[in-house]
Every structure is written in structure tokens, then in C-alpha cells.
Amino acid sequence: MKAVVFDLWETLVPMFPAEDGERSYAAMAARLGANEPAFVELWRARREFRETRPLAEAVRSLCEELSLDTADIDGAIAVRRGFTRAALVARPGALEVLRELRRRGHRVGLITVCTEDVEELWPETPMAELVDAPVFSCSAGVNKPDPRIYELACERLGVEPADCLYVGDGNNDELRGAERAGMRAVQLRLPEHGPRDWDGARVESLEQVLELV
């Protein structure tokens, strides 16, 4: 394999606790002057919409639907950004695996389904200097498992899909999406992960990825 492409959330970075997410939703709703249950319901329902375009555009559209004429959109985005900054921390062992892949001469990519705050904060993380080609759905305009997002990663890495190993927890049908795009896919299956519909190759730690390349 010439390249290894990783998922972000629940792969390189643990998923944030549900209670932290709920607190962020409440704080965003307060900044927007929105009814919290109505805001949360619409925020969740519009997941794909907000993950494939600028965050301000997505929040503004949400405010229009909720008839929030004087909403503090910038303030709500700042709340979201602060929450994301605290959550965007590499899983133990992840940086060491990325460094070892680079040391062995492999190209390293990232494909993540995310809102714009993740892309904005990515350069602040130590992962950024270890990933050659990050692809964020919010700026790519497409989401997993759309084949175009995998093709974009390969293009940026300068490799063919057949030369890529894709590593992810399995959400968003990402593993089958990677295989349909021509990559080899392996699931990172950790104890904290819930059920995933995948019967293909799997590893139980990021360190085991090194054995596959």
C-alpha cells in the first residue's frame, strides 16, 4: 500500500461525550434566541446539509426556518468552535501511528464528515503536520459514502485507489464506500464503538494498522 487514509471521529479522535454535545446545543440555542428542543431537532435533521457547506450558511438557513430574525449567528458559531476545539484531540497512540507510517514512506490521508469549524481548527492540532492530504466534507461539498470524496483524497495524495488502505469505525457506510471507490477497507473496532454493519477486515487498535501495510 502506498497510502493509508483515515477517518477522523471515532478513529483518530474519540467521539465526544453525548453530554458535551447536549451542552453545546443548549449554548448555541441560547445565543440564537431559539427554543432549545426545536433547535436541536432541526440541527440534527440537517446534518448532511451543514456538513457540506459553510457553517454560517447552514446556521443562517436554520435560523430562517425557525424565524429567528435577530439571531447571533457569529456567537453561535463561536460556541460551536470552542466545543470542537476541546474535542479535537488525538486518540492515544494515533500520533505515533501516523509518524510511523510517514517514516516508512507511506502517504497519509484523511476523509472526515464534519462542519466547517473542524477544518478551521485542524491546523492547530498535532495531527495536521502528519497528514499529507486532509479532505473535509464541508469544503469538498460531498459526504461519505459518495465516491467523489474518496476520489478527491486519492487525487490529493497522488495515488490510485487500489494503492490505498482506508481505516474507519464504519459510520456513514464509509467502509463499503471506500471499497466501492476501489480502496481496501478495514474497520477499527474498539470496545466503546456500538454495533456496526460490517463483516470485512477489522483491527482492534490503530497500532495493528501498521501490520497491514
Side-chain angles (χ1 to χ4, degrees), residues 58-181:
V59 175
R60 185 173 296 108
S61 175
L62 183 149
C63 290
E64 290 172 356
E65 186 158 340
L66 295 174
S67 301
L68 304 175
D69 298 328
T70 59
D72 182 4
I73 292 174
D74 290 341
I77 291 175
V79 167
R80 173 75 178 184
R81 190 178 293 113
F83 165 72
T84 300
R85 179 177 280 111
L88 200 56
V89 177
R91 180 184 302 283
L95 297 178
E96 290 77 7
V97 169
L98 296 177
R99 290 191 187 102
E100 179 61 16
L101 288 170
R102 294 280 293 272
R103 188 192 69 79
R104 295 184 186 184
H106 297 291
R107 300 280 286 168
V108 177
L110 173 80
I111 302 175
T112 179
V113 172
C114 65
T115 45
E116 188 179 38
D117 47 308
V118 175
E119 184 170 13
E120 291 172 346
L121 295 169
W122 174 252
E124 298 180 11
T125 75
M127 294 175 284
E129 64 180 12
L130 300 173
V131 174
D132 300 295
V135 177
F136 304 92
S137 64
C138 55
S139 56
V142 290
N143 223 329
K144 290 184 281 191
D146 191 307
R148 291 174 293 175
I149 203 165
Y150 302 96
E151 292 164 2
L152 180 57
C154 291
E155 179 183 325
R156 292 181 180 177
L157 288 166
V159 298
E160 295 297 320
D163 293 322
C164 287
L165 175 68
Y166 182 85
V167 183
D169 64 283
N171 274 332
N172 304 303
D173 197 30
E174 61 181 351
L175 299 170
R176 291 189 182 87
E179 289 198 333
R180 288 192 292 268

Side-chain angles (χ1 to χ4, degrees), residues 29-73:
R31 293 301 294 263
L32 294 170
N35 172 272
E36 184 180 334
F39 169 80
V40 173
E41 180 180 2
L42 191 55
W43 177 265
R44 288 174 171 161
R46 289 199 164 195
R47 178 185 173 189
E48 184 170 356
F49 181 83
R50 59 184 159 83
E51 289 176 340
T52 53
R53 68 200 67 243
L55 189 53
E57 178 184 335
V59 175
R60 185 173 296 108
S61 175
L62 183 149
C63 290
E64 290 172 356
E65 186 158 340
L66 295 174
S67 301
L68 304 175
D69 298 328
T70 59
D72 182 4
I73 292 174

